[in-house]
Amino acid sequence: MTRHPLRLAILEAERMLAAAGVDSPRVDAELLAAHVLGVERSRLPLIPLVDPPVVDALHKVVLRRVERIPLQHITGWAHLGGVDLDVGPGVFVPRPETELLLDWALSTVEPEDPLVVDLCTGSGALALAAAHHLPAARVHAVERDTTALSWARRNADARANAGDTPVTLHAGDVADPGLLSDLDGRVDLVLCNPPYVPESTEVPPEVADHDPRQAVFGGPDGLAVIRHVVTVAARLLRPGGHVAIEHDDTQGESVPALLSARRVLTDVADHRDLAGRPRFATARRV
C-alpha cells in the first residue's frame, strides 16, 4: 500500500475549502486532518505519511465542510476557556471572541466563593468555563430552549465527571420577571452571550443554516433579549457585583446605553475584540 504525504492532502483540502468560501481554509483543513487522525493539530508535522484510507476519510469530511456545515458539527466539539464542549444541531456553537468576555469576567471576581449566573447559556459554555476556572464558585446557568438545555446538561455532566465544580442548570426565560428571584441581590457575576444579531443582518451559511435562529437573532434591532438581560442583571447583582454582555458590533453604543439607563449600575464600559470591533459591554452594581 503506497502511503501519501499528509502535507499534500492538507494542501488539497485547503484549496477545496478556499474555493468554497470558508473563512479560514488552512486552519479548518488542519483541524479536520487532526480530527480524522485522532491527534492534536500541533502533532500534524510529526506525521509525514498516511495510508490511503486516511486520505479518503479526510476528503469525505472536507466535502462536508465545503457544504458549509460548521466545523464543530463535523468534529462534534467546540472549545471555550479551557473547556471542550459537545455541540451539534440545535445548539449555538461558541465563538472564540467570547474568550475575551470570559477573561474580563474572571479578572473581576473578588470573593473566594463567588456566585455566578450565566444567562442564555446555550451549550453551557460560559458557565462551565467559569466553573472550570473558579473551583469554589457556585454557578447557575439558564436556558429557555429545551434542545440547547439538553446539550448543556450533557456538557455539565461531562465536566462534573472530569472533576470540575458542578453547575446548576435552570430551564427559564430572561423575560420572566421572577427568574432566579431567590438569588436577588446576591450574585457576584452575571454573564451573558445572548441572541443579539439584528434580524435583517446577512450571516454566513454556517450560521443561517445550522445555528438555531432563536439563539442568533434578537429582534429588529438585535436588542430584544438584551433588554431583559439588563433588567435581570440589575436585580440579581449584589452591590459591587459585575455584569458582562456580549453584543453585535453595531451595538457598541446601544448596549452601554441600556446599562447606563439603570440607576443601580455604574462603571459602564464597552470592550473591543482583537479586530477592534465593539464586542461586549460591562457594568458594576452600585
Side-chain angles (χ1 to χ4, degrees):
M1 180 182 296
T2 303
R3 307 193 81 199
H4 300 278
L6 177 60
R7 178 179 60 85
L8 296 181
I10 291 174
L11 283 173
E12 174 61 13
E14 180 184 6
R15 183 196 64 77
M16 294 172 63
L17 295 174
V22 172
D23 284 341
S24 51
R26 180 68 183 191
V27 172
D28 283 27
E30 292 180 352
L31 288 171
L32 289 171
H35 170 66
V36 167
L37 288 163
V39 301
E40 296 289 332
R41 180 186 171 199
S42 61
R43 295 190 60 82
L44 292 178
L46 304 178
I47 308 173
L49 299 172
V50 293
D51 294 328
V54 172
V55 176
D56 291 342
L58 176 58
H59 184 70
K60 288 179 181 176
V61 294
V62 168
L63 287 177
R64 295 185 67 201
R65 188 70 184 98
V66 163
E67 295 174 359
R68 305 301 291 272
I69 296 173
L71 173 73
Q72 297 84 355
H73 284 199
I74 298 171
T75 63
W77 62 273
H79 186 84
L80 184 77
V83 173
D84 289 336
L85 304 149
D86 288 347
V87 294
V91 70
F92 181 79
V93 174
R95 304 316 201 243
E97 293 84 356
T98 306
E99 297 270 4
L100 300 173
L101 181 153
L102 177 66
D103 289 345
W104 181 91
L106 293 175
S107 73
T108 70
V109 175
E110 296 173 0
E112 293 183 0
D113 58 342
L115 180 57
V116 180
V117 171
D118 177 24
L119 302 172
C120 308
T121 195
S123 64
L126 279 171
L128 294 170
H132 178 70
H133 287 279
L134 303 169
R138 295 156 293 154
V139 182
H140 295 259
V142 177
E143 176 56 51
R144 69 178 180 181
D145 183 78
T146 55
T147 301
L149 190 61
S150 67
W151 283 102
R153 292 190 192 284
R154 176 174 171 176
N155 287 317
D157 289 345
R159 294 312 309 169
N161 290 336
D164 282 355
T165 301
V167 168
T168 303
L169 296 174
H170 303 265
D173 191 331
V174 294
D176 176 5
L179 179 68
L180 300 182
S181 58
D182 57 324
L183 300 182
D184 283 358
R186 298 170 49 201
V187 177
D188 298 289
L189 181 62
V190 173
L191 306 173
C192 188
N193 183 9
Y196 56 65
V197 178
E199 285 178 352
S200 61
T201 305
E202 289 189 16
V203 294
E206 290 88 344
V207 177
D209 299 336
H210 298 282
D211 274 328
R213 184 174 181 83
Q214 68 273 14
V216 175
F217 296 98
D221 59 1
L223 299 173
V225 177
I226 290 178
R227 291 186 179 94
H228 292 299
V229 170
V230 171
T231 298
V232 175
R235 172 169 56 81
L236 291 178
L237 288 174
R238 65 162 177 81
H242 292 84
V243 57
I245 304 171
E246 187 166 320
H247 59 67
D248 189 68
D249 58 14
T250 64
Q251 298 164 346
E253 295 182 0
S254 55
V255 174
L258 289 173
L259 291 166
S260 297
R262 308 293 303 199
R263 286 181 293 177
V264 297
L265 297 178
T266 188
D267 294 346
V268 175
D270 202 67
H271 306 258
R272 295 180 178 268
D273 60 22
L274 298 179
R277 296 168 298 199
R279 182 52 55 201
F280 67 97
T282 60
R284 179 176 61 84
R285 176 73 157 79
V286 174

